[in-house]
Amino acid sequence: MVRRIFSSPLTLIGFILVFILLFLAAFAPLIATYNPLEVNFSNKLQPPSSAHIFGTDEVGRDIFSRIVYGSRISLKVGLLVVVISFPVGTMLGAIAGYFGGLVDQIIMRLTDIFLSFPGIILAMSIAAALGPSIENVLLALAVVWWPWYTRIVRSSVLSIKNAEFIESSRALGAHPFRILFKDILPNSIAPASIQASLDLGFVILAAAGLSFIGLGAQPPSPEWGAMLSSSREILREAWWAATFPGLAILFTVLGFNLLGDGLRDVLDPKQR
Amino acid sequence: MKKRRLWMQLVMFALIVGLVLSGCNKYNQESSTPAKNNGKQNTGNQTDAEKPKDKDVFNFATNQDIPHLDPHGTAANTSFRVTYMLYDRLVTYDGTTTEIKPQLAEKWEVTPDGKTYTFFLRKDAKFHDGTPVTTEAVQYSFTRAMKLKKSAAGIFEGIVDDKSFEIVDANTIKIHLKKPFGPFVKSLGTVYGNIVNPKLKEHEGKDNGESYLASNEMGSGPYTLATWDRGQKLVLKANDSYWGGAPTMKTVNILIVPEPSTARLMLEKGELDQLDDTMISPDVLNQMDGKNGVEVVKSPGYQIDDLSMNMTKKPLDNKLVRQALAHAVNYDSIIKDVLLGGAERVNGIVPKGMFGYNDKATLYDYDLDKAKDLLKQAGYEKGFDLEIVISENNEVRKNIAVMLQSDLAKIGVKLNIKTLAWPTFLDTVTNGKHQLALAAWTPDYADPDYNLWYFAHSSSKGPGFNLAFYDNKKVDQLLQEARVSVDDAQRDADYKEVQAIMADEAPYIFVAQRKVQVAKKTWVKGFEINPMNTWYVPFQKMTKE
């Protein structure tokens, strides 16, 4: 199976990018060359050099070190949002799909309501109402993310709930929840988990976007979106201050998506 | 489906990056080729950039929206810029001076007890509909300002009421003050002293005409309102029969450009003539100066950046803690590295150069050891957490906060920075929900009363802008005494004492007194910056050459 995953060069690239991100996040204190929060005005807006390979920002902080530490924030947000919204979404989807009827109607209309707003706009309003902080962004994104999983899981539950092995469990007198969690969920969760791996990238992008418009990470946090935002005014004098955080976001999102695509090809050939 | 969205997003992203980069490239070529080729090949380009297209059209940009045009009802600086042009006042501040000059009033007299003022109006002033400006209009306008109970009412409160006006004839009016108020005439030169056409009565409705004047004008000023596309563009047309002579600029376009870097590009390309002084950060201003036909005019200002410490919140109720914080601010580095020299130190809320400034009040120095000692004395050896609120889209305040954060960390204080949108920020600080807040203050008239009353008097807590919620009986008493006194020596002494008390008790940290820095095209002539009315741009006498 591993060989099948890496037979595609794109998947391999995705895997490498994600691995680099994980590595940076895990060993940030060892990799970073400076304290990411240390202000040094006499050294501000220095172009990339051997001392500061990505240059310094508008208050003299080392951009490379900030990006390295920023990977922790992005990864944390990405993982937590998926970890919160995935179980909620799958659970609701499975219940809706298996029981049908009124329960299904209620749950699905609820997801429709959430999906009818553009996700980022809804997240923006939630984050704005809760006040700007990275924790609130996390919460806001989790709130808007679960309906996707609900839909995916519901449709795959619907497709197998009348399969013969389910019928046999039912005939043996198994409790509906036992059937749902022991038989149905394990067999219908694959598409949703692929979606989750793809989503890590999107969540990181959305969180960076919210931080960019000032709703997310607060100074001096080295969040990538916030770094982009504070350096956009000086883009023409100090291209490095906005370029490197931008590239970090680009490669992270790309990495998770290539990896997710590869996983889908392997785990769920039907969806191709 | 999601996959397709990703590719769309990536394509869009690439497109945007590409566009931005190509924009940069073009700009770089334009600015660097003349140097390389000695300007020979680029003469065509150069003349394009150095000669204004329309000499009587002025394009001005700001990044803050104009909320409202009621001359008595708004406190927004962007509105002031417009109402100053639409309306006249009895007296005015003109050019770089902070002394009043006659405008609608040719001259005025005051009785020795300081309680009755007589104003003599000029006879050639007319409102935009052709009716002459008479004393009836003066009475009507000031009474309306009081009835409205909005920002303008503050300058009249407790000093005049609707029975104070005595019309002698069409051009002479007496105003009887309830008690003497030293800066009375000065206060009439602010936007709140704007004179409105009494024909507003026809549009008064139930709100004293506020909803009508919010988007219409009934003034006598050098400009009339042509069109207003909210959030986009406001156009002023010259009033050619203005009593002070026809304005030089026939059309003034005030454009709302939210993104400072866009405004900068437009200025460099010559699409704009001048930018709002608050929209570009000092770092970028320095880069712009002297290139692409842009110059940055620097001039003394009365704006003071302050850090208010909410004394109703622990541990800021402790004087030693406040003094410790005042010693933890690296003032010189802020002035040198954040404000890039565009400021100087100041020890109180009364700016240097104004009457009543106390140069002997304590000036806190940057001394972390002393700060640590003071915290120890206060019993906070182990430090504590603090939160500072700042408003968004302000690089300077963000950088000051970040610097303060790293300095405070060295004395064991963990500072959390919270960035809020402007309306939320105002709501937070005026309701005292903050611990520390960074803000700035510019007086509307040059008298210490204006600064000290709002910063230190207990009645100004919250919305009045006493954001430290400072409450000191002695200070209150001194301020009240100075307000009603006509003896300048007495007032001077009172104000100096208040500043000395405030410097010791440190409800505020005074970060710096700013210079005003305005980015404009070199072809713009006749622009003068007033140290306090920085939003007074004299379009009517500026030229483009």
Side-chain angles (χ1 to χ4, degrees), chain A:
Chain A
M1 175 158 154
V2 173
R3 198 181 301 154
R4 273 177 68 199
I5 290 175
F6 296 128
S7 62
S8 148
L10 281 179
T11 314
L12 187 63
I13 293 172
F15 178 80
I16 292 171
L17 288 174
V18 171
F19 179 79
I20 292 174
L21 179 75
L22 291 173
F23 185 80
L24 287 181
F27 300 103
L30 300 177
I31 298 166
T33 38
Y34 294 87
N35 177 348
L37 304 183
E38 181 150 327
V39 174
N40 181 0
F41 276 91
S42 57
N43 206 11
K44 69 174 185 181
L45 296 177
Q46 296 294 312
S49 63
S50 55
H52 300 278
I53 59 170
F54 287 174
T56 61
D57 69 2
E58 70 282 358
V59 291
R61 294 171 297 207
D62 181 56
I63 291 174
F64 174 71
S65 307
R66 286 176 70 73
I67 289 179
V68 169
Y69 273 94
S71 65
R72 290 186 160 187
I73 301 174
S74 293
L75 205 60
K76 184 182 92 179
V77 172
L79 283 174
L80 279 177
V81 168
V82 171
V83 162
I84 296 170
S85 55
F86 183 74
V88 174
T90 32
M91 211 65 83
L92 287 172
I95 292 170
Y98 184 71
F99 292 105
L102 188 63
V103 183
D104 185 28
Q105 284 294 323
I106 292 172
I107 293 177
M108 290 326 287
R109 291 303 77 79
L110 196 66
T111 57
D112 284 348
I113 291 171
F114 275 88
L115 290 175
S116 62
F117 291 102
I120 193 84
I121 306 281
L122 187 55
M124 256 169 72
S125 37
I126 296 171
L130 295 174
S133 82
I134 195 77
E135 286 76 21
N136 290 340
V137 160
L138 209 154
L139 211 66
L141 288 175
V143 167
V144 302
W145 226 270
W146 62 267
W148 292 108
Y149 304 122
T150 308
R151 280 204 154 177
I152 296 168
V153 172
R154 176 178 174 268
S155 66
S156 43
V157 168
L158 279 180
S159 71
I160 63 161
K161 83 171 177 186
N162 292 321
E164 280 163 5
F165 72 101
I166 307 288
E167 283 295 332
S168 64
S169 291
R170 213 174 282 150
L172 286 170
H175 189 271
F177 279 104
R178 190 192 150 83
I179 301 174
L180 188 58
F181 292 115
K182 287 273 177 186
D183 300 326
I184 294 183
L185 258 187
N187 287 298
S188 56
I189 209 162
S193 38
I194 292 161
Q195 186 62 47
S197 71
L198 277 166
D199 277 354
L200 275 171
F202 289 116
V203 172
I204 290 173
L205 188 64
L210 290 174
S211 291
F212 182 84
I213 56 173
L215 291 173
Q218 293 295 300
S221 165
E223 207 279 334
W224 295 340
M227 287 171 73
L228 257 182
S229 166
S230 65
S231 52
R232 70 183 196 280
E233 210 194 329
I234 43 165
L235 183 65
R236 279 163 45 187
E237 279 74 42
W239 57 270
W240 55 90
T243 306
F244 291 112
L247 287 176
I249 297 173
L250 178 71
F251 284 123
T252 304
V253 179
L254 196 65
F256 277 112
N257 278 283
L258 292 177
L259 188 65
D261 274 354
L263 285 177
R264 165 162 56 198
D265 293 348
V266 174
L267 296 179
D268 196 9
K270 280 178 292 181
Q271 276 232 335
R272 234 190 253 240

Side-chain angles (χ1 to χ4, degrees), chain B residues 71-218:
Chain B
H72 303 131
T74 174
N77 296 350
T78 44
S79 302
F80 292 172
R81 189 179 291 118
V82 180
T83 50
Y84 268 131
M85 291 297 120
L86 298 175
Y87 296 89
D88 281 332
R89 293 149 295 285
L90 289 180
V91 292
T92 190
Y93 297 95
D94 194 24
T96 56
T97 172
T98 56
E99 293 302 314
I100 35 179
K101 288 184 181 174
Q103 195 171 32
L104 286 175
E106 275 179 322
K107 58 183 169 62
W108 56 92
E109 286 162 4
V110 55
T111 51
D113 65 356
K115 285 173 86 168
T116 302
Y117 287 79
T118 313
F119 291 93
F120 302 93
L121 265 56
R122 57 183 316 128
K123 296 188 174 73
D124 52 353
K126 286 191 170 59
F127 285 111
H128 295 152
D129 66 350
T131 51
V133 180
T134 59
T135 45
E136 189 210 339
V138 176
Q139 177 179 13
Y140 175 76
S141 303
F142 292 170
T143 320
R144 174 182 185 266
M146 286 183 277
K147 270 199 287 189
L148 205 58
K149 288 199 168 56
K150 288 281 170 66
S151 45
I155 65 168
F156 296 114
E157 210 170 74
I159 294 152
V160 287
D161 59 23
D162 50 1
K163 290 180 208 72
S164 304
F165 305 95
E166 182 192 331
I167 294 181
V168 180
D169 61 42
N171 299 91
T172 316
I173 187 170
K174 283 191 164 142
I175 303 179
H176 302 285
L177 271 53
K178 289 202 274 189
K179 54 190 179 197
F181 177 48
F184 182 63
V185 183
K186 283 180 184 171
S187 72
L188 297 180
T190 67
V191 268
Y192 305 131
N194 281 324
I195 305 299
V196 181
N197 193 336
K199 281 195 180 155
L200 176 64
K201 280 175 193 153
E202 295 161 19
H203 306 279
E204 257 181 1
K206 282 179 188 148
D207 58 356
N208 297 305
E210 200 187 354
S211 49
Y212 180 77
L213 280 193
S215 52
N216 293 282
E217 56 97 2
M218 297 195 86

Side-chain angles (χ1 to χ4, degrees), chain B residues 383-403:
Chain B
F384 46 84
D385 278 22
L386 270 182
E387 186 179 86
I388 186 167
V389 290
I390 55 175
S391 57
E392 65 183 2
N393 294 333
N394 193 319
E395 280 298 302
V396 166
R397 288 194 196 142
K398 198 190 80 193
N399 290 345
I400 291 175
V402 167
M403 186 182 250

